Amino acid sequence: MNDTATPTTTAPAGVGVRTFPARRGALLFHSLALARRNLAKVRRNPVSIGDAVLAPVLFLVVFVYLFGGAVGGSTHAYLQRTLPAILVLAAIMAGMIATGVNLSIDIKKGIFDRFRSLPIGRSAPLIGSVLADVVRYLVTVATVFVVGFLMGFRVQTSPLAALAAAGVTIAFGMALSWVWVLLAMVIRETTLVQTIVSLSIFPLAFGTDMVAPVDTLPGWLQAWARINPIEHTMAASRGLLIGGDTAVPAVESLLWSIGLVAVFAPLAVVAYRRRT
């Protein structure tokens, strides 16, 4: 994404041409400006992030009280085990829906065509959208911790480790969101983007030990769970919040995050350039 500001015109043809030279750091500046624009939309319509609050509450209540007694022996024990996984699930869902669907809607409305006429980096609208979703991640993570605390969950490591769990989760969510950015660029129908995003959550989230231990899953599902990047992130979150192996799953999650950005961010930018 080594793009630069594109020289353009701001006056009618024949009147004069004002150019905007590229400058170091311009892409970051433009991306932050567009992220601020997206946050302004949220500030004017706070209901738009209601799903970032309601989804974690529903996940915790349904999983803990529906499966807690049967799978974990008690709802309290199951809450300790499953909250770190729900933290990851809620965060990635908050980002995947907002990023994929909202970008698709903005493109269909022609908003990105207006961005193209501005002297900004070509990938700035995409980066700005991903950065703005940090607010959704923070709201979701805070909701999981607050509701989990009220239900009886307690961090068994340290406050610093809990912050690290939130950081690993948000970093992975932002990296994974580039997959949904690419989908929004190559698929023209918003309803199809929404359908793919919604359906993809099942193999990604339930091909893990979130609900039950991996050893109890069928063989083919165990094989998928062991390479599923979300499983690594959930394992890192669990280790940071309630103890256990932390270093290996945390490194695996960060490597997956770097790989997702390295592969899907350039592809999304190329698709964006071809479409607009």
Side-chain angles (χ1 to χ4, degrees), residues 8 27 29 40 105 174 185:
T8 186
L27 177 60
F29 178 80
I105 292 174
M174 293 183 67
M185 295 302 109

Side-chain angles (χ1 to χ4, degrees), residues 32-42 106 111 115:
L32 292 175
L34 291 173
R36 190 165 59 249
R37 165 192 171 271
N38 289 337
L39 292 177
K41 291 168 59 180
V42 174
D106 282 349
I111 294 176
F115 290 154

Side-chain angles (χ1 to χ4, degrees), residues 1-209:
M1 294 186 296
N2 187 25
D3 55 357
T4 58
T6 303
T8 186
T9 62
T10 58
V15 174
V17 176
R18 179 184 174 188
T19 61
F20 294 81
R23 52 178 175 154
R24 184 173 298 177
L27 177 60
L28 177 61
F29 178 80
H30 298 152
S31 301
L32 292 175
L34 291 173
R36 190 165 59 249
R37 165 192 171 271
N38 289 337
L39 292 177
K41 291 168 59 180
V42 174
R43 188 172 62 251
R44 292 167 185 167
N45 183 22
V47 179
S48 63
I49 60 171
D51 60 317
V53 176
L54 293 178
V57 176
L58 289 175
F59 288 147
L60 283 170
V61 172
V62 170
F63 281 105
V64 172
Y65 294 116
L66 190 62
F67 301 113
V71 179
S74 71
T75 55
H76 177 74
Y78 193 68
L79 175 64
Q80 301 301 312
R81 178 188 178 282
T82 200
L83 183 139
I86 291 179
L87 178 72
V88 177
L89 171 64
I92 62 174
M93 285 195 67
M96 65 198 297
I97 294 175
T99 302
V101 176
N102 289 343
L103 277 176
S104 180
I105 292 174
D106 282 349
I107 288 181
K108 293 198 75 171
K109 288 182 176 179
I111 294 176
F112 277 55
D113 290 333
R114 300 179 189 176
F115 290 154
R116 190 181 181 186
S117 67
L118 299 175
I120 60 176
R122 295 300 305 277
S123 58
L126 305 184
I127 299 174
S129 178
V130 173
L131 291 177
D133 282 341
V134 170
V135 173
R136 298 180 65 84
Y137 294 122
L138 292 175
V139 169
T140 300
V141 167
T143 302
V144 170
F145 278 123
V146 170
V147 176
F149 180 83
L150 294 176
M151 293 173 66
F153 178 81
R154 297 293 182 269
V155 175
Q156 299 174 24
T157 51
S158 68
L160 189 61
L163 289 176
V168 170
T169 297
I170 292 174
F172 180 78
M174 293 183 67
L176 187 64
S177 67
W178 281 104
V179 178
W180 321 126
V181 173
L182 176 61
L183 279 179
M185 295 302 109
V186 300
I187 299 176
R188 295 184 180 276
E189 293 298 327
T190 303
T191 52
L192 182 56
V193 173
Q194 189 169 10
T195 299
I196 294 175
V197 168
S198 300
L199 292 178
S200 63
I201 194 64
F202 290 99
L204 288 174
F206 292 97
T208 64
D209 67 347

Side-chain angles (χ1 to χ4, degrees), residues 208-224:
T208 64
D209 67 347
M210 180 180 67
V211 177
V214 172
D215 294 341
T216 65
L217 302 177
W220 61 271
L221 196 52
Q222 289 186 32
W224 164 240

